[in-house]
Amino acid sequence: MFKRLALATALTLSMSVSALAASYTIDTKGAHASINFRKLHFNFSFLTGRFDTFSGKFDFDPENPEAGSVSLEIDTNSLNTNHAERDNHLRSEDFFEVSAHPKATFVSTSIKKTGEKTAIITGDLTIRNITKSIDLDATYIGGGEDPWGNTRQGFSATTSFSPADFGMPHGAAKGTVELSVEAEGILDK
């Protein structure tokens, strides 16, 4: 009887430990993370850009990725298409209206594993104080210890959405924006 109770307790404890996802902070220093976007421009080419300033965290357990979570906060004023006049227009009330809405956020609501290293991360994207549910197609790149003794995990994710869904009234806001996130996180100590 004692052996069965000890075994049941050990199994319960090991399942509880594996169900705990470790917390990571996205390393935005040293170009280990990026948030990029592109949008078709007059059906001729893609307009590309990025957000230079953002932060984020994720919880991840390689044995149970569906127990994880992701959150991002993006400084909308930091958008950069390498064209100052266009960037100022994108910051205006026609698009991001950064004076009233300086931040965009993403907070995951669920993670569904779709393959050995892939998952769909569903979450709430908020831009201009309008929140819509979106899906990120995520790929686990890998993880391990870096040369400085930190534990790191890396992911790549993509999604697309319509700017008009977030109240952007300008005609150029029609169509679809493709968004990509590259994230390398350092285990919180």
Side-chain angles (χ1 to χ4, degrees):
M1 172 74 171
F2 178 75
K3 285 183 180 178
R4 277 190 270 158
L5 181 60
L7 180 60
T9 302
L11 286 172
T12 301
L13 287 174
S14 69
M15 289 188 315
S16 297
V17 170
S18 70
L20 296 175
S23 294
Y24 294 80
T25 298
I26 295 175
D27 184 8
T28 57
K29 301 171 190 160
H32 297 132
S34 63
I35 298 178
N36 304 293
F37 59 87
R38 74 180 198 163
K39 183 180 183 311
L40 198 58
H41 185 252
F42 296 123
N43 294 323
F44 304 139
S45 64
F46 281 97
L47 165 98
T48 62
R50 67 181 185 268
F51 292 96
D52 290 332
T53 306
F54 62 94
S55 62
K57 295 188 78 61
F58 60 85
D59 292 336
F60 177 65
D61 175 0
E63 300 300 316
N64 186 12
E66 293 179 331
S69 64
V70 179
S71 64
L72 295 168
E73 184 175 279
I74 302 164
D75 175 356
T76 55
N77 194 48
S78 75
L79 71 87
N80 182 348
T81 66
N82 202 30
H83 187 277
E85 187 176 337
R86 177 176 46 230
D87 292 350
N88 287 333
H89 187 210
L90 290 171
R91 292 181 185 112
S92 77
E93 60 279 348
D94 285 344
F95 292 95
F96 285 96
E97 194 176 10
V98 300
S99 60
H101 311 288
K103 301 288 181 199
T105 60
F106 174 81
V107 178
S108 66
T109 55
S110 69
I111 297 175
K112 181 179 179 186
K113 190 173 175 180
T114 57
E116 186 177 327
K117 291 191 168 195
T118 59
I120 300 294
I121 302 172
T122 300
D124 293 330
L125 178 63
T126 302
I127 301 173
R128 293 174 55 117
N129 285 345
I130 297 170
T131 302
K132 300 285 183 183
S133 180
I134 64 164
D135 290 333
L136 291 170
D137 293 314
T139 302
Y140 174 58
I141 306 301
E145 191 171 309
D146 68 18
W148 304 277
N150 299 304
T151 300
R152 293 177 179 262
Q153 301 289 347
F155 296 88
S156 182
T158 59
T159 192
S160 60
F161 62 89
S162 171
D165 288 344
F166 293 93
M168 297 183 192
H170 192 270
K174 294 178 182 170
T176 301
V177 169
E178 298 172 17
L179 188 71
S180 65
V181 179
E182 305 299 329
E184 184 177 302
I186 300 174
L187 180 66
D188 294 341
K189 295 181 181 179

